[in-house]
Amino acid sequence: MNLKTISRRTILRGMGVTIGLPMLQSMMPGRLLTAAEADKDAPLRMAFFYVPNGAHMPDWTPKGDGTGYNMSASLQHIAEYRDQFNVLSGLTLDGARAHGDGGGDHARSVAAFLTGAHPHKTNGADIRNGISVDQATAQAVGDRTRFASLELGLESSAQAGNCDSGYSCAYASNMSWRGPTSPMAKEVDPGALFDRLFAGQTEKQTRRAKTAREKSKKSILDFALDDAKRLHQQLPAMDKRKLDEYLYAVRDVEKRISGADHLRIGEDGVPDYPRPSGVPADLSTHSQLMMDMIRLAMQTDSTRILSFMFTNAGSNRNYKQIGVNEGHHELSHHGKSEHKQAQIAKINRYHLDRFAYLLKQLSSVREGERTLLENSLIVYGSGISDGDRHNHDNLPIILAGSGAGRIKTGRHIRYENGTPLCNLYLWMMQQMGAKADQFGDSNGVVTI
């Protein structure tokens, strides 16, 4: 059966709105492909998720190695996806160590997490770090997508101020660095991210489209409806279903961003409420919306590279929603207190619950025989191991996704303690197609 081939970069347009599409059968050249053949055309994605203040390592570290390891209490919260990730022990972030600079481990751990560099200690304008792995990769292959990379989080970035023992807030609140003096600020507003992805490719177009939607009270999809209908008529049945499912997901996220699920709906199906801006006050709602946006960004191939910070370095946020009333940073200095260690374990599990939601979303998207999750390499972890000791060896690291079949998942891999974390990053860069034989303090590549 011959098919009309459409471009992988096809987008739906309408009044300043641009909506990327998921990978469809019709984007394959000329004929219906088998799922195995379609797999070869699926892009590989790279992502990095950072949690602050280390982990309660006795609650985190699995017992045993390989596929037969015993999952720890913390990791039980992502146990449903056990066969979709590897737990990596022994990796080390030497750049986060003091090296004579005294205190400031929290700021250093974030600044070094993706760079492997030792940041210059200053709270002034003379910041100096290294380029981060996401940006180094984006400079090599980022031109293949609308956005070379996305930098996201739940707490805003700062570019100045003293945040940790003489270290600039630029270090404490940014883990993505375009160059030694150029931190990449995070987007924390899910509505602004939605507009950036779907409401136009320029800031002017985005503002115009947003204003038009607010005045008309229409969904972003309504502006591109004619284009969507024309495309729908050209597609085979399997692609029509996939397109319908995707457009439903976009509208669902848009409704939840605007709070439309809790509002009075008019006879025309449009919420009788202006689209609000700002960050949701509830952390769980905020994180879930951001995870949904990550799925859509990756599903539409809007970007293949992204970073995400749950909170900034040394965050002292409490987690009353799970019964933790004390601040996270204060608890991390537990001094072997059983109570504080139990509370830290609760926070670790909460973050993993948020991550599990993302894994669920990515594993629900099919791309040939594999899923969006399987076609990814996703690092989750921290630049500090035990928050009380402020050590930067034997870090709590997870690598989710099989890299489009490049690695075997479902294992606990124990590297020699002191193995540079950048050895993992160098391997990932090479899988993404970036030509590199050195990154940060790497001294080789990991065996996975």
Side-chain angles (χ1 to χ4, degrees):
M1 175 181 178
N2 291 324
L3 295 174
K4 179 178 179 180
T5 303
I6 62 175
S7 170
R8 182 72 180 90
R9 293 175 177 257
T10 298
I11 56 178
L12 305 180
R13 297 181 182 273
M15 198 172 176
V17 167
T18 60
I19 302 177
L21 296 176
M23 191 174 75
L24 302 173
Q25 173 71 54
S26 307
M27 292 171 178
M28 311 304 175
R31 64 183 179 86
L32 283 170
L33 303 182
T34 66
E37 290 173 319
D39 282 341
K40 297 178 182 179
D41 293 283
L44 180 63
R45 290 83 166 189
M46 165 195 281
F48 303 90
F49 288 76
Y50 186 88
V51 290
N53 302 325
H56 182 46
M57 297 306 292
D59 196 72
W60 171 280
T61 308
K63 289 182 172 61
D65 301 332
T67 57
Y69 74 92
N70 292 322
M71 188 166 281
S72 63
S74 285
L75 297 178
Q76 286 291 342
H77 287 246
I78 53 173
E80 182 178 353
Y81 306 99
R82 176 182 174 132
D83 63 348
Q84 296 295 316
F85 64 84
N86 289 322
V87 184
L88 310 182
S89 295
L91 297 178
T92 296
L93 192 59
D94 184 64
R97 289 169 168 155
H99 293 297
D101 281 345
D105 288 270
H106 291 281
R108 282 195 302 262
S109 71
V110 171
F113 189 63
L114 294 188
T115 67
H118 181 75
H120 170 61
K121 189 168 189 175
T122 181
N123 57 22
D126 56 332
I127 57 173
R128 188 173 67 254
N129 196 11
I131 186 172
S132 55
V133 59
D134 60 321
Q135 293 307 303
T137 308
Q139 290 177 13
V141 300
D143 59 349
R144 301 174 186 176
T145 54
R146 285 180 58 209
F147 301 98
S149 64
L150 290 175
E151 297 73 46
L152 311 172
L154 301 181
E155 290 184 354
S156 297
S157 294
Q159 307 305 334
N162 182 356
C163 276
D164 187 8
S165 303
Y167 278 98
S168 170
C169 296
Y171 296 129
S173 62
N174 299 286
M175 70 172 182
S176 181
W177 290 69
R178 187 172 59 244
T181 61
S182 303
M184 303 286 285
K186 307 184 295 294
E187 178 58 71
V188 302
D189 184 339
L193 178 58
F194 188 92
D195 289 336
R196 187 175 173 191
L197 288 175
F198 299 116
Q201 298 188 52
T202 69
E203 186 177 347
K204 184 177 180 180
Q205 287 176 319
T206 298
R207 288 198 307 268
R208 184 183 303 160
K210 181 179 178 181
T211 300
R213 290 203 315 279
E214 289 175 346
K215 287 183 177 179
S216 67
K217 299 181 182 178
K218 286 186 177 181
S219 163
I220 194 169
L221 295 178
D222 293 329
F223 287 96
L225 194 58
D226 289 342
D227 224 7
K229 287 179 178 178
R230 282 193 293 270
L231 176 62
H232 201 272
Q233 292 171 357
Q234 302 173 31
L235 298 176
M238 68 180 72
D239 280 352
K240 287 180 179 178
R241 287 194 300 272
K242 194 166 188 177
L243 179 61
D244 289 341
E245 291 170 358
Y246 165 67
L247 294 179
Y248 175 85
V250 173
R251 190 182 292 272
D252 178 64
V253 172
E254 184 182 30
K255 286 169 63 180
R256 287 190 289 113
I257 287 174
S258 67
D261 285 340
H262 309 290
L263 302 172
R264 180 169 59 84
I265 306 298
E267 293 181 0
D268 59 356
V270 177
D272 186 18
Y273 188 80
R275 183 181 183 280
S277 60
V279 174
D282 178 69
L283 183 65
S284 297
T285 300
H286 188 188
S287 64
Q288 185 168 315
L289 284 171
M290 294 299 283
M291 298 304 179
D292 286 334
M293 296 306 305
I294 288 170
R295 181 201 64 184
L296 291 175
M298 295 171 71
Q299 182 180 4
T300 57
D301 205 25
S302 295
T303 190
R304 298 176 187 175
I305 303 166
L306 62 87
S307 61
F308 183 92
M309 290 179 66
F310 278 85
T311 63
N312 294 336
S315 169
N316 205 36
R317 177 194 288 267
N318 63 45
Y319 292 80
K320 292 182 178 180
Q321 63 269 45
I322 57 170
V324 178
N325 297 320
E326 299 128 298
H328 187 186
H329 181 218
E330 292 175 7
L331 287 168
S332 72
H333 292 278
H334 52 73
K336 301 188 184 303
S337 161
E338 291 186 8
H339 165 74
K340 289 185 176 181
Q341 290 182 80
Q343 298 297 84
I344 281 290
K346 282 186 181 180
I347 295 173
N348 295 163
R349 296 170 192 176
Y350 176 79
H351 287 151
L352 283 166
D353 279 339
R354 305 298 93 202
F355 189 57
Y357 177 79
L358 176 69
L359 299 183
K360 177 181 179 180
Q361 295 304 303
L362 298 184
S363 63
S364 70
V365 178
R366 301 295 308 181
E367 294 185 326
E369 288 185 339
R370 290 192 289 263
T371 65
L372 180 53
L373 174 58
E374 291 172 305
N375 287 328
S376 301
L377 292 168
I378 303 174
V379 173
Y380 174 101
S382 182
I384 293 177
S385 183
D386 174 49
D388 195 46
R389 295 173 52 210
H390 280 178
N391 63 311
H392 307 285
D393 64 319
N394 194 29
L395 297 172
I397 301 292
I398 293 168
L399 179 64
S402 65
R406 289 168 172 78
I407 58 177
K408 179 182 177 182
T409 48
R411 297 174 293 157
H412 176 212
I413 304 174
R414 196 184 304 271
Y415 298 104
E416 181 180 356
N417 196 24
T419 300
L421 178 61
C422 286
N423 286 9
L424 170 64
Y425 293 162
L426 178 59
W427 178 84
M428 292 173 67
M429 290 178 67
Q430 293 173 350
Q431 306 314 303
M432 291 290 294
K435 296 180 180 179
D437 55 17
Q438 173 71 33
F439 179 77
D441 65 345
S442 68
N443 59 14
V445 293
V446 294
T447 300
I448 301 183

